Amino acid sequence: MSHSVLIKNAVKKYGDFTAVNGISLEIHKGEFFTLLGPSGCGKTTLLRMIAGFNTVDGGEICFDDQVINNVAAHKRDTGMVFQNYALFPHLNVSENVAYGLKTRKVPKREIATRVEEALKMVQIEALAARQPNELSGGQQQRVALARVFVIEPGVLLMDEPLSNLDAKLRVQMRTTIKKLQRRLGITTIYVTHDQEEALAISDRIAVMREGKIMQVGTPEDIYRKPENPFVAGFIGVSNFIDCSVKAQGGEAQIVLEGNYPLALPAKKDFSGEGFLSARPEQLFFSEEGLKGKVSLSTFLGDFVEYEIELEDGKILQLNEYTKDVETRKKDGDIVHIRFDTKKVSLYAKDTGEVLSC
């Protein structure tokens, strides 16, 4: 039976360094929840606190209504998939998968049935008798998944499980993991630094930085409406453009460099310096607008990625989808750019506070 996970002001310190700094999260039963952030942001530390491998120096971690701060790791009803797979080299595939069931004193006949089902679930039943050193990285990862799924944990914890695989196999395995998680309904907490992976696999994401939560939301929310400049810059690609802002009555009048005016919806009154954050697909070529020159164009199949050099020397990235146009711009072409004002984000320069709706 899956558990909900409630984290209340969790703190973890190593001497004078605070790795996890007062984090609070509510993870729903059956949810696929991802902790995303750069190396050293505290995401793995928090995961290990949930697993019971790290002590909790402040706050509480609860499964459903039970505080588990002092519950031993092996009694927490969790399963863990590690970055390095952590398979037992002296056991074959079936024996690796059966290990957790044996430690739980499951009857032998039931173990055999559940191991067979788990191997079929991850599509490696033909490899049951092989040793770990006879498997590819992707096959080893499937064994690690089967070993966790077979014990039917209430909470599944995954620490960068795909980072050792090549790009194509990572895409295949993340799809496999998501399908299995949905099928089994296990509450899953997943750690990664890969933004694309997090967007593709998660129900919700917590973006972390320096031991704190910067934003929690669905992949669409995180990508389309970043709540601060860090999230805007960390998730996907963003163009940051300085501007002056005069916001009043729900509308912001802004002026970009080169005296190019723009208006967009605003959620609060503000007057001062700010900056826009615009995704490459939120910029468009137009007859009028911000003037620049194509400095580089790269054909990527579905779209052409352009680098546009503005008159002040700043470089913007603009993506134009090939289905929408018949001809490509050439390097050196003079162009004008407009913005999708309903989708770009506006921030106060001094505080980073989001001003746009």
Side-chain angles (χ1 to χ4, degrees), residues 58 65 124 236:
D65 296 324
I124 54 169

Side-chain angles (χ1 to χ4, degrees), residues 63-138:
F63 285 3
D64 299 324
D65 296 324
Q66 180 187 2
V67 178
I68 61 165
N69 289 33
N70 298 317
V71 175
H74 68 280
K75 295 181 178 180
R76 291 197 178 192
D77 193 20
T78 61
M80 185 95 169
V81 179
F82 297 92
Q83 183 175 349
N84 62 357
Y85 317 136
L87 302 182
F88 298 113
H90 60 289
L91 301 179
N92 67 23
V93 168
S94 285
E95 291 166 341
N96 261 285
V97 176
Y99 181 83
L101 296 175
K102 289 180 178 178
T103 62
R104 287 164 171 77
K105 310 296 184 184
V106 175
K108 286 186 177 180
R109 184 174 297 178
E110 184 179 344
I111 289 176
T113 300
R114 287 172 64 173
V115 167
E116 183 179 0
E117 290 174 351
L119 294 178
K120 286 181 179 178
M121 193 183 303
V122 297
Q123 300 177 335
I124 54 169
E125 61 268 30
L127 308 178
R130 290 196 187 179
Q131 299 298 124
N133 64 1
E134 298 174 321
L135 304 176
S136 68

Side-chain angles (χ1 to χ4, degrees), residues 9-28:
N9 299 311
V11 175
K12 180 63 186 176
K13 295 184 177 182
Y14 296 98
D16 294 333
F17 175 67
T18 303
V20 174
N21 193 354
I23 284 180
S24 295
L25 289 169
E26 184 175 357
I27 300 166
H28 309 308

Side-chain angles (χ1 to χ4, degrees), residues 143-257:
V143 176
L145 289 172
R147 187 174 61 184
V148 169
F149 286 134
V150 78
I151 64 173
E152 299 176 357
V155 179
L156 174 59
L157 307 172
M158 309 186 80
D159 186 13
E160 303 261 12
L162 308 182
S163 60
N164 291 332
L165 305 179
D166 63 57
K168 185 175 182 180
L169 190 53
R170 280 203 305 271
V171 173
Q172 293 174 350
M173 286 302 300
R174 78 189 187 198
T175 301
T176 297
I177 289 170
K178 182 61 177 175
K179 286 181 177 178
L180 289 172
Q181 189 271 341
R182 282 186 174 176
R183 172 180 165 185
L184 298 172
I186 298 175
T187 304
T188 300
I189 305 174
Y190 189 96
V191 162
T192 184
H193 65 275
D194 187 316
Q195 303 97 316
E196 181 181 312
E197 187 172 290
L199 292 172
I201 207 168
S202 312
D203 293 322
R204 285 192 302 148
I205 299 168
V207 183
M208 294 182 61
R209 180 190 187 191
E210 297 177 352
K212 296 182 178 180
I213 299 297
M214 303 304 292
Q215 184 173 350
V216 178
T218 65
E220 292 85 355
D221 290 339
I222 294 287
Y223 184 83
R224 293 176 179 170
K225 292 295 179 182
E227 292 179 357
N228 52 71
F230 175 78
V231 175
F234 185 74
I235 303 295
V237 176
S238 284
N239 299 292
F240 292 105
I241 309 155
D242 290 335
C243 61
S244 60
V245 183
K246 178 74 173 178
Q248 190 173 8
E251 183 176 79
Q253 299 291 334
I254 68 176
V255 179
L256 304 178
E257 295 177 7

Side-chain angles (χ1 to χ4, degrees), residues 259-276:
N259 291 320
Y260 175 63
L262 201 64
L264 63 150
K267 67 178 183 180
K268 64 175 296 183
D269 292 350
F270 177 86
S271 181
E273 296 301 307
F275 57 89
L276 279 179

